[in-house]
Amino acid sequence: MLITERLYVPDDVDAGVLFGVNRENLILLRTLYPKLRLVAGDNVLKILGEASQIDDFVKVLDHLSAHIRRYNSLNEDAIRRIATLPIGYADGYIRALSGKAHIEILGKTAP
């Protein structure tokens, strides 16, 4: 396993909104992505982990930034809705369960 580092700078959104008051959004993202190491500076997020996981996470950050641009806010429900699990048939997901299965994330059921 090769550890990669990437810096994410939210271009046109307030990093304070993205990271949350007292970094609460960042804490939730750390919980949802436990294999990544997330270190926040003033307006920069350092992401450490496997390259493919970082790529998936950056896509989520881009979607979260788009949400902030549209609504000028970000809450836990929006983060949970946007941060999806990258899983597919190659990961062992059974085709017969398509559209029928649910997953539990931190005690809450998600489709």
Side-chain angles (χ1 to χ4, degrees):
M1 175 176 76
L2 180 64
I3 300 295
T4 304
E5 177 182 318
R6 186 178 303 174
L7 297 178
Y8 182 84
V9 180
D11 292 329
D12 54 348
V13 298
D14 182 5
V17 176
L18 179 61
F19 300 153
V21 177
N22 296 324
R23 304 281 200 238
E24 62 190 16
N25 295 344
L26 184 62
I27 292 167
L28 176 58
L29 288 169
R30 284 180 180 143
T31 304
L32 294 174
Y33 293 88
K35 292 185 178 181
L36 296 176
R37 175 122 158 76
L38 307 175
V39 181
D42 289 336
N43 64 343
V44 177
L45 181 63
K46 184 191 297 187
I47 310 162
L48 298 138
E50 290 184 31
S52 63
Q53 293 173 347
I54 290 175
D55 291 341
D56 292 337
F57 184 68
V58 168
K59 290 176 189 174
V60 169
L61 290 174
D62 290 339
H63 287 291
L64 293 174
S65 294
H67 180 88
I68 293 169
R69 281 191 298 277
R70 182 170 185 179
Y71 299 106
N72 202 29
S73 68
L74 185 64
N75 60 28
E76 180 179 344
D77 291 335
I79 293 171
R80 289 182 184 281
R81 188 178 65 252
I82 294 168
T84 58
L85 294 175
I87 188 168
Y89 302 124
D91 299 310
Y93 186 76
I94 301 169
R95 289 183 188 268
L97 295 177
S98 293
K100 300 175 186 170
H102 293 83
I103 189 166
E104 189 173 302
I105 301 172
L106 298 175
K108 293 186 179 184
T109 301

